[in-house]
Amino acid sequence: MQVTLLGTGDTTGTPTPDCDCDTCREARAPGDATRRRMRERGIDATEGVERSRFSVHVRNERTGEALLIDASPDFRHQFLTHEVGLPDEALITHVHFDHLDGLGNAYRLFDDLPVHAANEVDPLTDESVADTIRSKYDYLDRVTVFDHAPFEPFETCGFEVTLVPVEHPPMLCYGVAVEDPETGAKLSLTGDTNYAIPDESRDALADADLLLADGLVPAHLCDHHPLGGDHHDGDGVPRTFGTKHMTREGALDLGDELDAVETRLVHVSHFYPADEAFAEPLAVDGERYEL
């Protein structure tokens, strides 16, 4: 299983357009320390460091097929920038634009793109994720949507894939477990979520070789959120920023609790201080893992 992180940023990405904060300046023109960190990850930072909107490419090296998890609005840029082929199938975790709107790129790039999504009806929208994809992209005959019940594994690209509910209020959102039944390799993604992931979902995500965990901001920034932080640890450190996303500290605690072999933080914002924004274990675009 080859995992390539095409997009590791939040809804605005890093650098954020028209932003002159220290972190965005560092992303555009990395200093020596950042370039050294990138070289250690096998990434050339000569022209800057990027966190585009979230997307993950998972290639099955046994079958030659590839699964795309979430379709970033930066789809075209990501596939031009990184050495991966177009996916054979896709999966969408939820209907926020930074995870969905790249599907419009299916026009003229695919003869048919099977897209997998949850069938659970969201009380907020009166549609499931699968239904929303159908209605939004009804003009694209190249997109074929397949509905799946949470916790019921299905096969795609030679992988066994399971959608698991997480907590991203007010909308339904899903994490994903991807397993290779032949090799036993496992990739888990939390999806966009706060720390209060249900126990059954935690069980499904546990024991991954690689966990990609939503770590939007460092915990100390909860002081600046109108709702503060939530799900505090024993020392009072918030594991949730507001209501929708985990803090760095929450994401790392979750990785420990799920016994992940390696945890990388994704959906990372430009609000990290510049001296922390490109340090481990915060992921950047282009990282690649062999599981």
Side-chain angles (χ1 to χ4, degrees), residues 79-204:
F79 280 91
L80 287 174
T81 303
H82 304 292
E83 295 181 0
V84 295
L86 289 172
D88 296 280
E89 305 197 26
L91 178 153
I92 302 298
T93 60
H94 66 297
V95 298
H96 281 159
F97 93 101
D98 52 325
H99 298 257
L100 172 63
D101 281 11
L103 277 184
N105 289 273
Y107 181 66
R108 293 175 63 183
L109 289 184
F110 300 92
D111 293 327
D112 181 56
L113 180 65
V115 177
H116 304 274
N119 66 357
E120 189 176 16
V121 174
D122 191 331
L124 185 69
T125 64
D126 289 327
E127 291 184 324
S128 67
V129 175
D131 288 336
T132 299
I133 297 168
R134 281 194 192 90
S135 61
K136 184 166 185 173
Y137 293 102
D138 61 345
Y139 66 94
L140 286 178
D141 57 7
R142 291 165 174 83
V143 169
T144 305
V145 183
F146 294 87
D147 303 53
H148 301 281
F151 299 117
E152 292 188 6
F154 60 93
E155 189 276 334
T156 178
C157 298
F159 297 125
E160 183 177 273
V161 178
T162 307
L163 290 162
V164 299
V166 292
E167 293 293 327
H168 189 52
M171 300 186 105
L172 293 184
C173 185
Y174 302 87
V176 187
V178 182
E179 299 184 65
D180 187 325
E182 295 292 329
T183 68
K186 182 175 181 179
L187 167 70
S188 290
L189 302 87
T190 67
D192 285 14
T193 185
N194 65 32
Y195 180 76
I197 297 174
D199 288 343
E200 187 177 0
S201 296
R202 288 175 179 245
D203 290 343

Side-chain angles (χ1 to χ4, degrees), residues 3 7 12 53 74 94 104 114 129 159 173 191 201 219 228 243-244 249 278:
V3 180
T12 66
R53 273 74 66 89
D74 299 312
H94 66 297
V129 175
F159 297 125
C173 185
S201 296
T243 62
K244 295 183 178 184
E249 291 77 0
F278 304 103

Side-chain angles (χ1 to χ4, degrees), residues 190-197 202 212-218 238-241 243-252 254 267 272:
T190 67
D192 285 14
T193 185
N194 65 32
Y195 180 76
I197 297 174
R202 288 175 179 245
L212 302 178
D214 173 5
L216 186 72
V217 295
R239 293 161 164 156
T240 292
F241 177 71
T243 62
K244 295 183 178 184
H245 297 275
M246 286 188 286
T247 62
R248 170 182 57 194
E249 291 77 0
L252 293 176
L254 181 70
H267 210 274
Y272 275 88

Side-chain angles (χ1 to χ4, degrees), residues 201-232:
S201 296
R202 288 175 179 245
D203 290 343
L205 297 172
D207 302 316
D209 297 290
L210 177 64
L211 172 68
L212 302 178
D214 173 5
L216 186 72
V217 295
H220 66 80
L221 290 186
C222 291
D223 293 342
H224 302 287
H225 193 289
L227 299 177
D230 202 354
H231 308 119
H232 299 77

Side-chain angles (χ1 to χ4, degrees), residues 30-49:
D32 290 342
T34 298
R35 289 191 183 195
R36 183 174 62 254
R37 289 166 176 165
M38 295 304 105
R39 282 197 300 271
E40 291 170 353
R41 304 184 201 185
I43 294 171
D44 181 3
T46 303
E47 297 184 2
V49 183

